[in-house]
Amino acid sequence: MVRQSERSNSTIGAILAAARRLFASDGFDAVSIDLIAARAGVAKGAVYHHFASKEEIFTRVLETVQAEIATAPVPAADRRIADPMDAIAAGTLRYLLAATEPGARRILLIDGPAVIGWQKWRAIDDRFFGAGARAALAFALKKAPESIDAEFHLVMGAVMEAALVCATAANPKKAARELSAGLLRMLEGLRPPA
């Protein structure tokens, strides 16, 4: 016999999966709760039973996309990069390429900041990528993580700007490669003397 919690989890999963497909293809503004419910195969009341608003659904979808990018395996070639600055640039390229994939781009980079607001959008990004980025930058700069606030914020700002540029670029993959190479040149200026 199926338990209530299993039915509830199944309904939530169906709602989020349908919403993700719709948000990715049509954008936040074009998607209604009615459409999400229809595509999920549930009643509109079931959507509102689990989510207070379309914005709440969108935020959960955005967090899921961020989590998938953050937990994606690092390719073997990237794991062999010895230079920390090169590793940061390679990680940035992986992020930009993943974030500009058709299923993620509209959710993360186009609608994300507009729908949930810049500060919340940045807080979610920081939750998934901030600690790792801070640790990598501190290692590269040979400093304690708590002593690199200025550098951390400047580099993260550059990465976020690169992501937003890629989101609207005619060729997002080309833009990602060019911007990652530009970030590496910028990081070279931070490199501690040998």
Side-chain angles (χ1 to χ4, degrees):
M1 186 166 180
V2 178
R3 287 199 238 152
Q4 177 61 28
S5 64
E6 291 170 348
R7 277 194 306 272
S8 181
N9 288 339
S10 176
T11 300
I12 291 169
I15 291 166
L16 292 173
R20 181 175 179 167
R21 287 188 301 276
L22 289 165
F23 291 143
S25 65
D26 301 342
F28 179 83
D29 288 338
V31 175
S32 67
I33 292 288
D34 289 322
L35 185 56
I36 293 170
R39 294 285 174 87
V42 301
K44 183 178 179 178
V47 175
Y48 280 117
H49 176 75
H50 295 288
F51 299 96
S53 66
K54 183 171 77 164
E55 290 80 5
E56 183 181 341
I57 297 169
F58 182 84
T59 301
R60 285 276 300 273
V61 167
L62 185 142
E63 289 174 330
T64 299
V65 173
Q66 283 282 47
E68 289 170 3
I69 292 171
T71 59
V74 176
D78 286 3
R79 287 194 310 267
R80 289 191 294 270
I81 297 172
D83 182 83
M85 297 297 191
D86 290 339
I88 291 170
T92 299
L93 178 59
R94 282 194 316 276
Y95 169 77
L96 294 176
L97 291 173
T100 56
E101 283 296 315
R105 183 172 75 120
R106 178 172 226 135
I107 293 168
L108 287 182
L109 305 176
I110 296 172
D111 288 344
V115 171
I116 65 173
W118 177 256
Q119 287 196 312
K120 187 172 184 179
W121 181 73
R122 287 285 297 135
I124 291 170
D125 185 73
D126 194 47
R127 186 165 16 111
F128 287 102
F129 297 103
R134 182 180 287 276
L137 188 59
F139 178 75
L141 298 178
K142 300 177 182 165
K143 294 183 177 181
E146 60 276 1
S147 71
I148 62 158
D149 282 347
E151 294 91 340
F152 170 74
H153 289 295
L154 289 168
V155 169
M156 290 302 288
V159 172
M160 286 302 97
E161 179 64 17
L164 295 173
V165 167
C166 288
T168 58
N171 185 338
K173 292 185 185 325
K174 179 181 178 194
R177 287 188 295 274
E178 290 171 353
L179 289 161
S180 295
L183 179 70
L184 180 57
R185 290 189 299 274
M186 186 178 88
L187 290 171
E188 288 299 332
L190 297 174
R191 187 182 294 280

